[in-house]
Amino acid sequence: MGSGNDRTGGAMDTGEDKRTDGAHGDEGRGDDAGRGARRDQAVRAAVEQGLLGPMAPVVGLLDVTGIRDSAAALRAAFDAVVAPGTPVLHAFAVKATPLVAVLRLLDGEGIGAEVASPGELALARAAGVPPRRTVLDSPAKTPAELREALALGIAVNADNPQELDRIDGLVRSAPTRSPLGIRVNPQIGGGSIGATSTATATSKFGVALRDEGAREWVVRAFLDRPWLTRLHAHTGSQGIPLTLLARGAAETYALAEEINERAGRRQIDTLDIGGGLPVNFASDATSPTHARYARVLREAVPGLFDGRYGLVTEFGRSLLAKHGTVVARVEYAKSAGGRRVAVTHAGVQVATRTVYAPAAWPLRIAAYDAKGRPKAGPEVVQDVAGPACFSGDLLAEGCALPPLDQGDYAAALDTGAYYFAHHYGYNSLARPGVYGFAPDGTGGVAFATVRAPQTIEEIVAESGGSHASALTTLRAPEQP
Ligand SMILES: *Cc1c(COP(=O)(O)O)cnc(C)c1O
């Protein structure tokens, strides 16, 4: 089944999804063809409505229709493979798009939140995600974080033996409704991108199951603690083939079966299989789909779906990436060494991974004219550069596009996760505004502010503006 080369999204994948994914295409949901048209309409409307222009030269846009469709498709994908009545919680990995309005939109679609820091938990709470639909996983939880989580009753997965010790103390000192589990690393290996491979032999995450004595330690940890009821593994993100993700789930399932067997009861009642479904950055097609992954999982680990275990998933990128676009004005168009260069306002501050690791994180760029209309015409090879002061600040190098001229717009596609919501403060560049868009009911486009653009005053304040004399008034050492 899985070709192992999911990033390129081969024709076979798309064909299969069209045939069998009921929530895809045939009901007018998750309609990949509609995606580009909605985006084009939104860019045009953003220019017409003044959200984007000389005074606001870079914005992030979020396709609300697309996000809702993906949420519905995710739910349908698992509903189609689980035994009726199986509890399934899809918890969106907040780190993918840490924006409160996005979390509330997903909550309304029945998707909870997976949080991994005090900030992410606060965002989920600000969005109104209920504790019973919130899961806390992170490798460095402090005692205060753990105490708060257990007091709220949110699910917690212990990363390591020292963390389990802390949880032991908390459980002894106060009753909690929190479902509690242990994160394991099945050590099944990495994918094509080292930085997003979490199941390597030496990964920092979870209990490394194949290390000497580790598996037995996990089993004993459960047998000694009747309140531990969950097992968690997240075996990687972008660059991990589906077959490897499924192996991670299979190993976790096998361990749960072993623990329940030794306990003589169904002590583990829920398996958290993490997220990590890769995203196709090469075209507008959703590939692989959540539906396909659910089918791969059911084939590889049928016992996971027979109703004996509740399920938790933690998808991030696959829910949001394709619904975001960063659009930047071309401030100058120039040429250097025979190469055209469009100098835009989107670079390392909104596309950090692409700028620093372009081979692993290539982005598609779309060209729009000064009125926000798709640019036509013969393509020329050009660089699309950002505003930051280092030469590697390129959104795309040597890409073939209709020539970008001064006042045009360049859009970096599929940037709804891990891009413009992950601002990097290089050159004190301001965080751009983020706007959601949806049809306005009369054939136009309506926008809503998801995050206001950062002001220059805020940049000064954030950079210690109120401590301007801190260093000049710090007492000097006594002179002899
Ligand atoms: C990052 C992360 C996720 C989400 O990964 P995606 O690739 O965005 O789906 C889920 N679970 C954990 C524990 C993570 O660290």
Side-chain angles (χ1 to χ4, degrees), residues 231 251-261 268 271 309:
L231 209 51
E251 301 252 346
T252 312
Y253 168 79
L255 177 58
E257 291 282 280
E258 180 183 335
I259 291 168
N260 284 348
E261 170 85 38
I268 296 180
L271 293 177
Y309 292 99

Side-chain angles (χ1 to χ4, degrees), residues 245-307:
L245 289 176
R247 264 188 64 202
E251 301 252 346
T252 312
Y253 168 79
L255 177 58
E257 291 282 280
E258 180 183 335
I259 291 168
N260 284 348
E261 170 85 38
R262 298 228 345 231
R265 66 189 184 99
R266 303 220 61 79
Q267 177 172 349
I268 296 180
D269 60 19
T270 300
L271 293 177
D272 181 339
I273 61 170
L277 189 67
V279 164
N280 161 34
F281 284 95
S283 78
D284 271 335
T286 303
S287 174
T289 59
H290 291 114
R292 176 163 167 240
Y293 180 41
R295 290 192 298 268
V296 168
L297 279 173
R298 186 179 54 185
E299 200 147 290
V301 206
L304 195 55
F305 300 100
D306 64 13

Side-chain angles (χ1 to χ4, degrees), residues 63 193 258 297 302 360 474:
D63 178 356
I193 305 177
E258 180 183 335
L297 279 173
L474 189 65

Side-chain angles (χ1 to χ4, degrees), residues 471-480:
L471 302 181
T472 46
T473 57
L474 189 65
R475 197 160 63 89
E478 298 276 325
Q479 298 294 319

Side-chain angles (χ1 to χ4, degrees), residues 119-141:
E120 288 183 0
L121 174 57
L123 297 184
R125 297 187 73 194
V129 181
R132 70 191 149 74
R133 289 221 297 263
T134 305
V135 178
L136 172 65
D137 305 314
S138 76
K141 306 177 198 80

Side-chain angles (χ1 to χ4, degrees), residues 312-351:
V312 177
T313 74
E314 307 170 343
F315 296 103
R317 184 179 286 108
S318 59
L319 271 169
L320 256 294
K322 299 207 77 73
H323 309 307
T325 307
V326 60
V327 193
R329 191 160 191 269
V330 178
E331 196 66 46
Y332 300 110
K334 58 199 278 190
S335 119
R339 172 74 59 89
R340 284 186 70 106
V341 182
V343 181
T344 79
H345 287 275
V348 74
Q349 88 278 30
V350 288

Side-chain angles (χ1 to χ4, degrees), residues 17-279:
D17 291 330
K18 289 250 161 57
R19 272 202 319 278
T20 47
D21 182 355
H24 190 88
D26 15 348
E27 295 166 24
R29 317 200 70 138
D31 171 8
D32 294 349
R35 177 173 299 147
R38 288 198 300 272
R39 179 173 64 227
D40 288 350
Q41 222 196 347
V43 171
R44 174 105 189 244
V47 173
E48 280 168 1
Q49 297 180 32
L51 287 181
L52 186 60
M55 298 305 291
V58 55
V59 296
L61 300 179
L62 285 169
D63 178 356
V64 173
T65 309
I67 296 171
R68 286 190 198 276
D69 286 350
S70 281
L74 169 59
R75 293 183 51 184
F78 279 78
D79 286 351
V81 296
V82 297
T86 305
V88 181
L89 168 66
H90 298 293
F92 174 63
V94 171
K95 82 167 180 274
T97 310
L99 295 168
V100 175
V102 168
L103 305 183
R104 180 166 293 183
L105 176 67
L106 290 172
D107 181 57
E109 298 292 322
I111 308 283
E114 186 263 354
V115 300
S117 71
E120 288 183 0
L121 174 57
L123 297 184
R125 297 187 73 194
V129 181
R132 70 191 149 74
R133 289 221 297 263
T134 305
V135 178
L136 172 65
D137 305 314
S138 76
K141 306 177 198 80
T142 63
E145 273 182 87
L146 290 167
R147 194 173 312 112
E148 181 187 18
L150 267 54
L152 289 168
I154 71 180
V156 177
N157 292 309
D159 182 85
N160 59 65
Q162 293 179 348
E163 186 168 297
L164 191 58
D165 272 352
R166 287 179 170 175
I167 294 175
D168 278 340
L170 290 167
V171 166
R172 268 195 302 271
S173 68
T176 175
R177 282 174 291 119
S178 291
L180 298 168
I182 295 181
R183 176 170 184 172
V184 294
N185 167 14
Q187 289 168 300
I188 52 175
S192 62
I193 305 177
T196 54
S197 296
T198 49
T200 56
T202 56
S203 162
K204 73 177 178 187
F205 296 107
V207 178
L209 269 189
R210 295 184 187 185
D211 285 10
E212 203 184 327
R215 194 178 182 93
E216 186 56 27
W217 180 86
V218 174
V219 174
R220 276 253 65 91
F222 275 86
L223 298 180
D224 293 345
R225 295 169 183 78
W227 41 266
L228 275 178
T229 58
R230 291 188 172 191
L231 209 51
H232 170 226
H234 166 71
T235 43
S237 293
Q238 191 71 22
I240 307 282
L242 293 196
T243 44
L244 198 62
L245 289 176
R247 264 188 64 202
E251 301 252 346
T252 312
Y253 168 79
L255 177 58
E257 291 282 280
E258 180 183 335
I259 291 168
N260 284 348
E261 170 85 38
R262 298 228 345 231
R265 66 189 184 99
R266 303 220 61 79
Q267 177 172 349
I268 296 180
D269 60 19
T270 300
L271 293 177
D272 181 339
I273 61 170
L277 189 67
V279 164

